[in-house]
Amino acid sequence: MTQKTPGQLRDDAAEALREPGRRRIELLAALEAVDAELRPLVREARRMEVPIRRITELTAVAPNTIRAWSRKDGE
């Protein structure tokens, strides 16, 4: 049995990242699209005085993100 060289081991490790990395990139793109949809809805919910805790329960968006999204542009 031949041992792999350090270069081959590095290549194997990098290759192992390829598929999960591709899936993660796709999921992040999908999340960005959902966030773009949610942002104005969160802003309107806060304008209507829906509590941050309730928005978090419904969306799994972090409270600090809700606060940031609720601010008017440029503030």
Side-chain angles (χ1 to χ4, degrees), residues 7-58:
Q8 290 170 321
L9 293 171
R10 257 191 315 277
D11 290 346
D12 290 349
E15 185 60 32
L17 294 171
R18 186 177 307 278
E19 181 56 26
R22 182 194 61 75
R23 289 193 323 265
R24 185 174 191 277
I25 290 167
E26 287 177 359
L27 288 169
L28 288 171
L31 180 60
E32 285 181 24
V34 171
D35 283 354
E37 183 181 348
L38 272 174
R39 185 183 298 250
L41 300 173
V42 165
R43 183 174 283 157
E44 179 63 10
R46 287 300 295 145
R47 197 173 74 76
M48 293 297 118
E49 300 180 358
V50 176
I52 289 174
R53 174 182 249 164
R54 182 66 177 140
I55 295 170
T56 297
E57 291 170 356
L58 294 169

